[in-house]
């Protein structure tokens, strides 16, 4: 028995010395899930009664990614018992690095030349990339596009704002002397107690206004520079497909006793159609359109006139010359003693609207959106025509026949408003009566006493029969 134990110890020592690489490549027991089966991989005989040699603890070594276990010698396999429990080694976690199709130049598993050892695979070093460098700039193309759009919008805003301000200031500098010759106050802001001069009020980035007062027969004149929205990028792009122009709108409010009774409009065909449709006074007093060619004006102009005498006086040689010279610049001229603004399409008016005596002018700046300060300075003759028309309107005095015609027209319009208001009052009264009758019927139906219901029905029937009877007019006869 002793000799048998000695032979077993010698065999175990031989196995231990023949497989140093295998023992060194053994993973740490602390990290191995199958550490409890480690004895089955390192011993030959686990039969009961057999003594196991003491093992010296070896220092832990790092696991090599490409290291493979060597095949066991034939002697070890022959000496192992058939009933010995064995556990298969886990799959190598770095096995995907040995794919020959992905990693060229690496040899797969196989026996080394002339022996059972496999060749040592080279170490692969995996560099850890910081999280903030894992993405590239291609992932932020949408954000970069938005920032570029905002930058373009901001630059367009600054450029458009500066150009509109430059155009408005150029117009004021070119017309200020003419305005000061005709008005005492030019450019008062209306805020300070002291009178200001030359103040161009900025309503928005594209609208500027100028108030003038202090002229005989005129309460005041408001000049509005309605420039294009150059500060808006969307509007700028839209103008590429639908061109627009800068406009100068002048509103002159006349004194009550300095303008006679007439309604007149002169403008392009498109603007006259729109004015007649939208303006209350033109739709009521000037239903017909007349051609302007007989006055020597371009064919694309029309005239809306209530009194022919006023048209002949207003469209004189100076006005015709200015319109022919600035054909595209004069959009329309609207003179009315019954000016009440736009139509009220939401509900029918019940009373006559408040009116005022007003002269309206609308001028287009040349070059359709590509205006320059020189173009604003070239519009000085149009402002001179405005003062000429103011003097003409002041001097117009209608004949007796024309005055009677104008009065009849205004009386008809007043009667139309009275009829409309009377019908509205009748409709309102009828609605109230129906609501009252409905309330009485509901009260009668809610009554629980049948006698009271019967009495209420009889009372209602008598009332209706009395309404249906013909009214007889009683006349007193003198004896």
């Amino acid at each position: 028995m002793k000799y048998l134990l000695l032979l077993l110890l010698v065999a175990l020592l031989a196995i231990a010395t023949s497989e140093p690489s295998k023992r060194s490549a053994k993973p740490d027991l602390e990290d191995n899930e199958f550490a409890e089966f480690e004895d089955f991989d390192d011993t030959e005989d686990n039969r009961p009664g057999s003594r196991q040699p003491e093992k010296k603890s070896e220092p832990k070594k790092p696991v090599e990614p490409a290291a493979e276990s060597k095949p066991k010698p034939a002697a070890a396999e022959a000496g192992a018992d058939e009933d010995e429990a064995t556990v298969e080694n886990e799959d190598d976690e770095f096995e995907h690095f040995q794919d020959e199709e992905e990693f060229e130049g690496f040899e797969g598993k196989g026996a080394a030349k002339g022996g059972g050892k496999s060749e040592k695979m080279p170490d692969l070093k995996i560099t850890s990339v910081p999280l903030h460098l894992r993405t590239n700039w291609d992932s932020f193309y949408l954000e970069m596009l938005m920032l570029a759009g905002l930058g373009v919008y901001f630059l367009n805003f600054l450029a458009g704002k500066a150009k509109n301000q430059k155009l408005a200031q150029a117009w004021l500098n070119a017309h200020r002397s003419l305005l000061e010759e005709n008005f005492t106050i030019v450019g008062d802001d209306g805020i300070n107690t002291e009178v200001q001069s030359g103040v161009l009020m900025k309503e928005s980035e594209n609208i500027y206004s100028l108030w003038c007062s202090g002229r005989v027969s005129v309460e005041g004149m408001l000049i509005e520079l309605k420039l294009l929205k150059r500060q808006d990028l969307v509007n700028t792009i839209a103008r590429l497909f639908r061109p627009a122009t800068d406009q100068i709108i002048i509103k002159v409010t006349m004194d009550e006793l300095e303008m006679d009774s007439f309604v007149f409009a002169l403008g392009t065909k498109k603007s006259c159609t729109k004015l007649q449709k939208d303006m209350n006074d033109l739709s009521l007093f000037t239903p017909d359109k007349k051609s302007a060619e007989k006055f020597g004006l371009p064919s694309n102009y029309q005239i809306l006139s209530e009194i022919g005498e006023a048209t002949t006086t207003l469209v004189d040689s100076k006005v015709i010359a200015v319109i022919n010279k600035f054909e595209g610049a004069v959009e329309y001229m609207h003179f009315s003693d019954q000016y009440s603004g736009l139509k009220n399409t939401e509900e029918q008016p019940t009373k006559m609207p408040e009116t005022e005596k007003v002269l309206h002018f609308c001028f287009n700046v040349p070059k359709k959106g590509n205006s320059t300060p020189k173009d604003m300075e070239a519009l000085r003759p149009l402002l001179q025509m405005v003062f000429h028309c103011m003097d003409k309107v002041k001097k117009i005095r209608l004949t007796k026949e024309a005055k009677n015609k104008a009065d009849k027209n205004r009386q008809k319009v007043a009667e139309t408003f009275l009829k409309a208001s009377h019908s509205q009052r009748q409709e309102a009264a009828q609605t109230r009566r129906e609501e009252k009758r409905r309330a009485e019927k509901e009260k009668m139906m809610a009554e629980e006493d049948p006698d009271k219901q019967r009495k209420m029905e009889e009372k209602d029937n008598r009332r209706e029969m009395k309404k249906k009877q013909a009214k007889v007019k009683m006349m007193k006869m003198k004896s």
Side-chain angles (χ1 to χ4, degrees):
M1 189 67 182
K2 293 180 180 181
Y3 294 105
L4 181 60
L5 291 174
L6 289 173
L7 289 174
L8 288 174
L9 289 173
V10 171
L12 289 173
L13 291 172
I15 292 171
T17 55
S18 62
E19 294 180 353
S21 62
K22 177 181 178 181
R23 291 179 179 274
S24 62
K26 184 176 66 175
D28 192 2
L29 295 179
E30 295 178 358
D31 299 331
N32 191 355
E33 295 179 358
F34 301 94
E36 57 180 324
F37 301 103
E38 191 67 26
D39 293 343
F40 293 101
D41 296 335
D42 298 337
T43 61
E44 283 186 0
D45 191 5
N46 290 326
R47 290 176 295 177
S50 60
R51 294 179 63 184
Q52 300 294 335
E54 296 181 358
K55 298 180 182 180
K56 296 181 178 181
S57 60
E58 298 178 0
K60 295 180 181 180
K61 297 182 179 180
V63 179
E64 296 182 2
E68 299 181 359
S69 61
K70 294 182 180 180
K72 293 183 179 181
E77 293 180 358
D81 189 7
E82 294 179 359
D83 297 334
E84 182 181 14
T86 60
V87 178
E88 295 180 357
N89 293 333
E90 291 183 349
D91 295 337
D92 190 359
E93 59 179 340
F94 300 101
E95 186 179 358
H96 58 278
F97 289 131
Q98 299 173 3
D99 191 354
E100 295 181 358
E101 295 181 358
E102 293 189 15
F103 302 93
E104 297 181 359
F106 285 79
E107 295 181 0
K109 294 182 178 180
K113 294 181 180 180
K117 293 184 179 181
S118 61
E119 294 182 358
K120 185 179 180 181
M121 303 296 290
D123 295 339
L124 295 178
K125 296 182 179 179
I126 302 175
T127 306
S128 59
V129 181
L131 293 176
H132 66 280
L133 295 178
R134 290 184 184 275
T135 56
N136 50 15
W137 290 108
D138 294 340
S139 303
F140 303 98
Y141 69 92
L142 185 59
E143 288 79 359
M144 290 188 290
L145 186 62
M146 292 179 64
L147 289 175
L150 290 174
V152 172
Y153 189 91
F154 183 70
L155 292 176
N156 180 80
F157 176 83
L158 295 178
K161 174 184 175 182
K163 185 172 183 180
N164 283 341
Q165 189 173 4
K166 188 177 181 181
L167 291 175
Q169 194 62 37
W171 184 91
L172 179 61
N173 295 336
H175 298 80
R176 185 171 181 175
S177 59
L178 183 60
L179 292 171
E180 290 176 351
E181 291 175 1
N182 291 271
F183 289 97
T184 305
I185 301 174
V186 176
D188 186 18
D189 56 1
I191 300 175
N192 299 323
T193 55
E194 298 181 359
V195 178
Q196 302 293 320
S197 180
V199 178
L200 193 62
M201 299 294 295
K202 183 179 179 181
E203 306 293 338
S204 65
E205 300 298 339
N206 63 303
I207 297 178
Y208 295 83
S209 60
L210 184 74
W211 172 255
C212 304
S213 61
R215 179 183 169 91
V216 179
S217 72
V218 175
E219 291 184 2
M221 182 174 73
L222 179 64
I223 302 174
E224 185 180 25
L225 305 180
K226 194 174 181 180
L227 306 177
L228 297 175
K229 295 182 180 179
R230 293 181 174 88
Q231 77 281 359
D232 187 3
L233 182 61
V234 178
N235 190 273
T236 303
I237 296 174
R239 287 202 311 272
L240 298 176
F241 306 96
R242 191 176 181 180
T245 58
D246 300 303
Q247 288 186 338
I248 300 174
I249 300 174
I250 301 175
K251 179 182 177 181
V252 181
T253 305
M254 302 291 293
D255 288 335
E256 286 294 331
L257 301 177
E258 298 296 337
M259 183 176 180
D260 217 331
S261 303
F262 67 91
V263 179
F264 167 81
L266 169 63
T268 60
K269 293 180 178 180
K270 183 178 179 180
S271 60
C272 284
T273 302
K274 189 174 184 301
L275 287 172
Q276 192 177 31
K277 181 181 177 181
D278 297 340
M279 293 298 174
N280 195 21
D281 55 343
L282 291 176
S283 61
L284 292 174
F285 297 100
T286 59
D288 299 330
K289 300 177 183 177
K290 300 178 182 179
S291 177
E293 294 184 5
K294 62 179 182 180
F295 293 95
L297 296 173
S299 58
N300 63 331
Y301 279 87
Q302 285 182 342
I303 294 176
L304 302 175
S305 179
E306 179 190 10
I307 306 299
E309 293 181 4
T311 305
T312 306
T313 306
L314 291 172
V315 185
D316 57 1
S317 59
K318 291 185 178 180
V319 175
I320 294 172
V322 173
I323 293 177
N324 288 327
K325 183 178 180 180
F326 299 90
E327 181 178 348
V330 180
E331 184 69 18
Y332 66 83
M333 298 187 302
H334 176 202
F335 308 156
S336 175
D337 70 316
Q338 297 292 314
Y339 180 79
S340 57
L342 298 173
K343 285 184 179 179
N344 188 3
T345 56
E346 296 180 357
E347 58 183 8
Q348 190 174 4
T350 58
K351 62 179 182 179
M352 284 286 293
E354 296 181 0
T355 61
E356 56 182 349
K357 298 182 178 182
V358 171
L359 310 182
H360 260 116
F361 300 87
C362 181
F363 303 134
N364 296 326
V365 182
K367 294 186 180 180
K368 289 222 177 215
N370 298 322
S371 307
T372 61
K374 292 183 179 180
D375 297 327
M376 305 297 283
E377 296 173 359
L379 299 177
R380 187 181 174 92
L382 296 178
L383 186 60
Q384 293 175 345
M385 183 184 69
V386 171
F387 293 121
H388 174 74
C389 292
M390 291 164 60
D391 295 336
K392 280 283 185 180
V393 169
K394 178 185 175 182
K395 295 178 181 178
I396 290 178
R397 290 293 179 266
L398 299 178
T399 60
K400 187 176 181 180
E401 295 179 358
K403 185 69 174 176
N404 291 335
K405 181 182 178 180
D407 293 340
K408 287 181 181 179
N409 292 338
R410 281 144 185 77
Q411 187 176 0
K412 288 181 181 179
V413 172
E415 290 176 358
T416 303
F417 276 99
L418 288 175
K419 289 180 181 179
S421 62
H422 180 66
S423 62
Q424 286 185 357
R425 287 195 298 270
Q426 285 183 338
E427 291 177 0
Q430 183 66 20
T431 303
R432 288 194 298 270
R433 286 194 295 268
E434 290 178 357
E435 291 178 355
K436 184 178 180 181
R437 190 179 298 111
R438 190 182 302 110
E440 291 177 355
K441 287 184 179 180
E442 290 177 357
K443 183 179 180 181
M444 181 179 63
M445 296 299 293
E447 187 66 40
E448 296 180 357
D449 191 356
D451 293 337
K452 290 184 178 180
Q453 284 187 358
R454 182 175 53 78
K455 291 180 180 180
M456 292 175 69
E457 288 180 0
E458 292 177 356
K459 183 179 179 181
D460 190 19
N461 292 333
R462 286 196 302 269
R463 189 190 304 112
E464 291 183 358
M465 291 294 295
K466 186 176 181 181
K467 289 180 180 179
K468 291 180 180 179
Q469 291 178 358
K471 293 181 179 181
V472 179
K473 186 175 181 181
M474 303 295 294
M475 297 181 66
K476 291 184 178 180
M477 299 294 294
K478 293 183 179 180
S479 56

